[in-house]
Amino acid sequence: MTRTSLIALGVLFLAGNVHAIEEQPESCRPKVAGSALALADDADQAQLQCDIDRAALIADRADATFDSSNDPILRIVDTAAPSGAAYVYDIVDADGTMMLDARTVPVDSDTNTHIPLCRLQTQLPAPVASKVALSLLTTSDAGLPAYGAREKMVVNADGSRSYELLLASHDIITSIETTNGLKQFSRHSEATDIIAELNRSVIGVANFSDGWVCKSN
């Protein structure tokens, strides 16, 4: 099967398994044969728009839940963390200091009673802040794909390499206010490129912080 066919099947699979947040975005509804999914580039663009719209719904829910409204220079939305919650990670420039505002967001009404509402507000460590600052300059590169390939490299026993298609929907959407305007990226949680590494750096700060404040939902 060609890469084009695999991507088209993967997009259909992902679109059918998007977590419900009140109402599924129109852009995430399965497309019929002969639509934009016919070509790989169009399939990537269609799934990217779906992911961006999903992330926007999650971010809106975080703002409403915590009565907050940020103007982040970097926003990372983890749409399906292992805990069953989604997470919004906002980096805000506070008079030259980069602050992280991370919030948990119940994915859907069925899990609302099981997911604690937690928030972390902390200063980014200098190495991570430097990486974020650099991303504002470098991620505007037109050669950097907005929608990352959903495949994982596997090193075989004989040293050769092969690639596995990642069908499980665990997407992380990154929005960066670059020097050339807003850039948005979607990566699978197992991706390994520079956007994925940026995501891991910010999320890692939150994962190892003891500053979370939680309350029962």
Side-chain angles (χ1 to χ4, degrees), residues 18 21 24-28 44-60 75-79 88 145-148 150 171-176 182-187:
V18 172
I21 301 180
Q24 190 180 93
E26 177 65 30
S27 58
C28 294
D44 287 355
Q45 185 58 43
Q47 188 59 49
L48 173 65
Q49 191 59 56
C50 167
D51 289 349
I52 290 172
D53 292 344
R54 290 166 60 203
L57 287 177
I58 293 170
D60 287 347
R75 167 170 283 170
I76 299 168
V77 178
D78 185 343
T79 62
V88 177
Y147 187 77
R150 263 47 180 182
D171 307 305
I172 299 177
I173 293 80
T174 310
S175 302
I176 305 174
L182 178 66
K183 298 290 183 180
Q184 294 176 294
F185 304 90
S186 176
R187 296 292 184 268

Side-chain angles (χ1 to χ4, degrees), residues 37-163:
L37 297 183
L39 299 174
D41 289 344
D42 291 337
D44 287 355
Q45 185 58 43
Q47 188 59 49
L48 173 65
Q49 191 59 56
C50 167
D51 289 349
I52 290 172
D53 292 344
R54 290 166 60 203
L57 287 177
I58 293 170
D60 287 347
R61 173 172 281 190
D63 288 344
T65 300
F66 291 92
D67 191 22
S68 60
S69 180
N70 291 329
D71 184 19
I73 57 175
L74 171 70
R75 167 170 283 170
I76 299 168
V77 178
D78 185 343
T79 62
S83 66
Y87 284 79
V88 177
Y89 305 89
D90 283 349
I91 304 299
V92 181
D93 183 357
D95 297 324
T97 298
M98 289 195 185
M99 302 296 296
L100 170 62
D101 184 3
R103 292 156 288 170
T104 61
V105 187
V107 174
D108 57 48
S109 57
D110 291 336
T111 60
N112 278 357
T113 58
H114 306 295
I115 300 300
L117 299 178
C118 302
R119 187 174 192 177
L120 168 68
Q121 294 176 292
T122 188
Q123 183 176 340
L124 276 187
V128 181
S130 295
K131 186 174 291 188
V132 170
L134 184 61
S135 75
L136 307 181
L137 301 173
T138 59
T139 54
S140 59
D141 182 2
L144 188 61
Y147 187 77
R150 263 47 180 182
E151 57 187 22
K152 177 174 66 174
M153 185 183 72
V154 178
V155 179
N156 303 311
D158 62 0
S160 63
R161 298 178 180 180
S162 59
Y163 291 86

Side-chain angles (χ1 to χ4, degrees), residues 178-217:
T178 75
T179 52
N180 290 330
L182 178 66
K183 298 290 183 180
Q184 294 176 294
F185 304 90
S186 176
R187 296 292 184 268
H188 192 277
S189 61
E190 296 185 43
T192 57
D193 73 340
I194 62 171
I195 296 297
E197 292 306 318
L198 174 65
N199 293 341
R200 290 192 182 95
S201 295
V202 173
I203 293 172
V205 173
N207 285 347
F208 290 99
S209 175
D210 59 3
W212 287 92
V213 176
C214 300
K215 61 181 179 179
S216 297
N217 183 22

